[in-house]
């Protein structure tokens, strides 16, 4: 069922111009995708909403746009040259390669699901009298699963932290994890693969190896002092950025979930040492509010605390969404201490300190970051919004219930017929509204078919011009979700649209 649903999302994305495989006419390029005419708009609107929520709504957050290429020492300092590896394991029979920690996490997830099933059974059996907290603490089946989860998590954490690749392999063997393709337990040793792409840049003294950035964050760290000084920023303050990142992901699967070229939206928040835990809690709260403002059912989001904290982090949590293939990370919130700035200070030989007038001392600030994948967020919205609705009498419709402000088009203008002056009148409305909104104009096909096409790309409002419009100066507004039709005067359209599709309504939800 879930697999079926995910297949529908992928085929819908292609059929309606959201996402195409890269270089498709050459049979595509694995794990690389292009956004089509509707996809580019949805993506742009998500980016815009994120940007406004960060830069526009916080007087102490500013944006930058750093280059993708950076001095190669950046990646030595950040630890990516030596440590940006994934532990990989191959199944000798299927010849498929997996991330060892992902195989183990999928094993753990089965036990998480077992617990949820037990709880669901309890709710069904005891109804209102059900004490879920007590049940989770005492039910023997739940406790058995929880013990298993804790034991496996502990062993994985120990092995990952010690870089113990043999220990990881042993865990996979002990848990009798089988390859999902071949079903066999015939595994190679676990090996580390670096995820950075490198290329050459000519320099006066020959060629030098440089990297395509695997994250946008470092462009912010190396510009910390530039922004702080020129923007006269006082702690706490943040720097936000959106842009492409590249990772040589060995396992390409699940559509735009894991790509080799993708886009990140990151914000690094610089704070006084000692206040980072409070700011971590603040950003955790702000970010989940942002996600929930988009109308996704709350039970489809969860926090997942990191089992393995990076050596420089003192707190880290993922925001996960319940994709058709299970709960997976969409965003990470990390308290990174002063690790990055200190590293750059050491490798560049330049001081990256802040003079704190209140404390009358200089220090390297601590950092709390929020890091979200734009493509993954796109997939969350597409998956959540795509509905097949039963209209009764054997009729169905496909509708994409995107947040109106993020939809590719905010409205469609449709003359009922292609004659009698209706296209001319519709064109006048179109030319006025497009000064403010991304509008779609269409004359072809029956009005019913046109409504369905707009439903499928998520257009929240259709404006139909008919013969009566010529006499009464009014139109029919048709709303995507309710399919309600309302007759309104032409000079009322703008105010109604503003109420329905403005991004400010989303932003307001963040202020509660
Ligand atoms: P994962 O464990 O899924 O590989 P990660 O922990 O390596 O992700 P981060 O380095 O924290 O990810 O990157 C921040 C965000 O960037 C992630 O939450 C995700 O949304 C996005 N992201 C990371 N890698 C990819 C990718 N290969 N394709 C698409 N988005 C990605």
């Amino acid at each position: 069922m879930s697999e079926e649903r995910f297949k529908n999302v992928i085929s819908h994305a292609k059929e309606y111009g959201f996402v195409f495989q890269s270089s498709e006419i050459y049979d595509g390029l694995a794990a690389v995708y292009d956004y089509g005419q509707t996809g580019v708009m949805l993506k742009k609107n998500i980016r815009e909403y994120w940007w406004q929520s960060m830069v526009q709504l916080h007087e102490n957050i500013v944006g930058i746009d750093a280059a993708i290429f950076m001095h190669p020492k950046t990646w030595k300092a950040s630890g990516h040259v030596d440590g940006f590896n994934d532990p990989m394991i191959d199944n000798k029979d299927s010849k498929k390669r997996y991330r060892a920690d992902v195989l183990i996490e999928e094993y753990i997830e089965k036990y998480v699901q077992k617990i949820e099933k037990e709880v669901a059974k309890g709710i069904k059996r005891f109804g209102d009298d059900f004490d879920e907290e007590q049940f989770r603490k005492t039910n023997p089946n739940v406790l058995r699963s929880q013990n298993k989860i804790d034991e496996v998590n502990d062993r994985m954490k120990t092995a990952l932290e010690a870089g113990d690749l043999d220990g990881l392999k042993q865990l996979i063997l002990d848990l009798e994890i089988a390859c999902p393709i071949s079903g066999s337990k015939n595994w190679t040793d676990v090996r580390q693969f670096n995820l950075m792409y490198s290329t050459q840049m000519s320099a006066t003294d020959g060629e030098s190896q440089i990297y395509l950035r695997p994250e946008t964050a470092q462009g912010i760290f190396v510009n910390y002092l530039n922004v702080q000084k020129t923007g006269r920023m006082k702690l706490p303050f943040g720097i936000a950025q959106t842009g492409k990142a590249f990772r040589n992901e060995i396992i390409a699967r699940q559509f735009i979930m894991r790509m080799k070229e993708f886009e990140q939206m990151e914000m690094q928040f610089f704070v006084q040492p000692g206040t980072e835990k409070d700011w971590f809690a603040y950003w955790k709260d702000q970010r989940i509010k942002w996600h929930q403002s988009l109308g996704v059912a709350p039970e489809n989001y969860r926090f997942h605390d990191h089992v393995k904290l990076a050596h420089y982090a003192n707190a880290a949590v993922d925001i996960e969404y319940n994709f058709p293939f299970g709960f997976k990370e969409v965003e990470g919130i990390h308290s990174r201490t002063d690790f990055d700035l200190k590293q750059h200070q050491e490798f560049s030989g330049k001081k990256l300190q802040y003079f704190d007038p209140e404390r009358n001392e200089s220090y390297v600030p601590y950092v709390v970051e929020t890091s979200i994948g734009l493509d993954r967020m796109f997939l969350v919205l597409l998956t959540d919004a795509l509905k097949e609705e039963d209209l009764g009498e054997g009729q169905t419709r496909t509708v994409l219930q995107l947040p109106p402000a993020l939809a590719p088009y905010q409205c469609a203008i449709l003359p009922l017929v292609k004659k009698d002056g209706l296209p001319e009148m519709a064109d006048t409305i179109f030319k006025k509204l497009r000064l403010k909104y991304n509008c779609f104009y269409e004359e072809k096909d029956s009005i019913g078919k046109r409504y369905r096409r707009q439903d499928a790309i998520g257009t929240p409002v259709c404006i139909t011009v008919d013969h009566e419009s010529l006499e009464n100066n009014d139109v029919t507004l048709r709303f995507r979700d309710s399919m309600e039709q309302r007759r309104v005067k032409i000079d009322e359209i703008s105010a109604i649209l503003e109420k329905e599709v403005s991004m400010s309504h989303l932003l307001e939800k963040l202020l509660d």
Side-chain angles (χ1 to χ4, degrees):
M1 178 61 194
S2 289
E3 212 169 290
E4 191 66 15
R5 205 175 130 227
F6 193 46
K7 271 194 195 145
N8 282 343
V9 171
I10 297 173
S11 58
H12 191 87
K14 170 152 192 214
E15 192 180 339
Y16 288 94
F18 284 90
V19 181
F20 304 125
Q21 194 167 24
S22 156
S23 334
E24 197 187 272
I25 58 167
Y26 293 104
D27 295 331
L29 192 61
V32 186
Y33 291 90
D34 298 339
Y35 286 83
Q37 69 280 8
T38 44
V40 71
M41 293 308 301
L42 173 58
K43 192 176 174 200
K44 179 177 161 298
N45 292 339
I46 300 171
R47 190 193 296 113
E48 183 62 23
Y49 178 46
W50 181 88
W51 186 268
Q52 291 194 12
S53 74
M54 286 291 177
V55 178
Q56 202 164 303
L57 280 198
H58 293 90
E59 64 277 18
N60 58 349
I61 298 182
V62 292
I64 63 164
D65 183 17
I68 287 171
F69 292 138
M70 299 184 72
H71 194 287
K73 269 197 197 164
T74 310
W75 306 109
K76 262 307 228 194
S78 68
H80 284 83
V81 171
D82 299 318
F84 194 46
N85 303 313
D86 275 345
M88 309 299 294
I89 190 166
D90 294 27
N91 183 270
K92 289 184 192 162
D93 298 315
S94 66
K95 309 265 181 281
K96 288 278 172 203
R97 183 164 288 171
Y98 300 91
R99 251 172 70 180
D101 55 331
V102 170
L103 281 180
I104 299 166
E105 268 171 9
E106 281 170 359
Y107 177 91
I108 292 172
E109 184 62 26
K110 285 194 190 134
Y111 282 89
V112 172
Q113 291 311 324
K114 268 191 189 173
I115 294 180
E116 294 315 313
K117 268 203 190 127
E118 285 294 334
V119 172
K121 266 202 270 174
I123 293 173
K124 212 168 164 192
R125 187 154 6 120
F126 299 112
D128 288 346
D129 297 334
F130 185 64
D131 181 345
E132 186 175 327
E133 207 183 322
Q134 185 68 10
F135 184 81
R136 283 182 189 271
K137 273 196 218 144
T138 53
N139 178 278
N141 291 340
V142 170
L143 290 180
R144 215 171 304 123
S145 293
Q146 192 57 50
N147 283 342
K148 185 78 190 169
I149 293 171
D150 294 344
E151 178 202 319
V152 177
N153 259 334
D154 272 354
R155 279 186 68 186
M156 178 167 75
K157 182 176 174 208
T158 311
L160 285 173
E161 279 179 355
D164 175 9
L165 302 182
D166 292 341
L168 274 182
K169 177 172 180 184
Q170 197 54 49
L171 184 54
I172 289 173
L173 295 179
D174 291 349
L175 299 176
E176 300 191 352
I177 295 176
C179 166
I181 309 276
S182 67
S184 95
K185 297 164 196 155
N186 192 9
W187 297 106
T188 62
D189 286 342
V190 177
R191 280 167 298 164
Q192 296 281 22
F193 281 83
N194 194 290
L195 292 171
M196 278 198 296
Y197 285 105
S198 65
T199 184
Q200 307 299 320
M201 187 175 266
S202 14
T204 42
D205 53 352
E207 294 274 303
S208 86
Q209 186 186 31
I210 57 163
Y211 299 97
L212 297 190
R213 67 179 177 198
E215 61 175 29
T216 53
Q218 299 305 324
I220 290 180
F221 291 128
V222 300
N223 277 300
Y224 154 74
L225 208 56
N226 283 337
V227 174
Q228 193 270 321
K229 288 229 174 320
T230 58
R232 306 196 308 147
M233 309 301 290
K234 289 200 171 51
L235 288 193
F237 76 91
I239 305 180
Q241 175 174 221
T242 70
K244 286 278 173 97
F246 304 82
R247 294 183 189 178
N248 192 3
E249 302 276 7
I250 313 282
I251 327 156
R253 38 185 185 134
Q254 291 163 338
F255 193 40
I256 55 172
M257 184 71 198
R258 189 167 297 286
M259 301 154 91
K260 296 188 173 183
E261 175 181 342
F262 59 100
E263 193 165 336
Q264 288 186 317
M265 307 192 284
E266 295 199 293
M267 194 280 299
Q268 270 68 34
F269 201 67
F270 300 90
V271 305
Q272 277 185 350
T275 63
E276 73 276 8
K277 288 280 168 69
D278 291 341
W279 284 113
F280 179 76
Y282 170 83
W283 283 110
K284 199 174 152 182
D285 180 57
Q286 282 285 304
R287 294 307 303 150
I288 196 72
K289 260 193 192 160
W290 186 89
H291 286 273
Q292 286 171 352
S293 70
L294 295 169
V296 177
E299 64 270 21
N300 282 336
Y301 271 116
R302 75 177 185 195
F303 285 119
H304 176 78
D305 288 309
H306 279 210
V307 174
K308 180 200 165 203
L309 277 185
H311 59 279
Y312 50 81
N314 63 12
V317 69
D318 292 338
I319 294 177
E320 296 186 337
Y321 171 75
N322 190 9
F323 287 100
F325 41 85
F327 274 99
K328 291 277 178 296
E329 170 181 347
V330 180
E331 170 157 9
I333 301 160
H334 313 123
S335 174
R336 297 179 69 115
T337 67
D338 55 1
F339 173 80
D340 304 270
L341 289 182
K342 274 216 170 124
Q343 286 291 104
H344 287 303
Q345 198 168 250
E346 188 185 324
F347 277 75
S348 68
K350 309 264 165 37
K351 270 205 159 35
L352 295 176
Q353 295 198 338
Y354 174 76
F355 176 74
D356 188 331
E358 279 167 34
R359 293 195 190 182
N360 198 24
E361 60 172 337
S362 293
Y363 51 80
V364 176
Y366 270 37
V367 171
V368 175
E369 74 173 5
T370 71
S371 173
I372 172 171
L374 176 50
D375 312 86
R376 280 195 196 172
M377 193 57 218
F378 183 102
L379 188 57
V380 168
L381 290 179
L382 202 63
T383 309
D384 212 74
L386 186 61
K387 309 262 159 64
E388 199 62 35
E389 261 183 17
D390 187 351
L391 302 177
E393 294 169 9
Q395 292 229 27
T396 59
R397 70 162 179 160
T398 302
V399 55
L400 203 56
Q401 291 182 328
L402 292 168
L406 305 191
Y409 298 95
Q410 276 65 57
C411 66
I413 293 126
L414 315 169
L416 190 63
V417 290
K418 220 160 75 177
K419 54 182 184 188
D420 305 334
L422 300 191
E424 288 73 13
M425 187 171 190
D427 190 55
T428 310
I429 298 173
F430 175 59
K431 289 203 170 122
K432 185 161 170 241
L433 290 179
R434 73 179 178 184
L435 296 176
K436 217 163 161 194
Y437 302 105
N438 198 37
C439 307
F440 195 96
Y441 181 88
E442 196 173 38
E443 298 175 342
K444 279 193 298 292
D445 293 331
S446 75
I447 195 72
K449 268 196 190 152
R450 280 182 273 168
Y451 284 159
R452 290 289 178 273
R453 270 204 296 272
Q454 295 306 316
D455 285 345
I457 59 171
T459 310
V461 183
C462 288
I463 301 167
T464 306
V465 176
D466 57 21
H467 290 96
E468 278 178 44
S469 305
L470 296 174
E471 287 162 29
N472 303 336
N473 231 15
D474 60 5
V475 292
T476 299
L477 293 193
R478 186 260 189 193
F479 296 89
R480 178 194 69 196
D481 298 344
S482 62
M483 294 195 286
E484 181 210 345
Q485 301 199 9
R486 206 191 312 160
R487 203 74 194 169
V488 304
K489 293 284 176 212
I490 287 174
D491 55 13
E492 290 171 337
I493 300 175
S494 203
I496 295 174
L497 273 186
E498 171 70 23
K499 198 164 147 258
E500 293 288 325
V501 307
S502 164
M503 203 172 274
S504 57
H505 302 313
L506 290 179
L507 291 168
E508 274 164 14
K509 292 189 194 172
L510 304 177
L511 304 177
D512 299 343

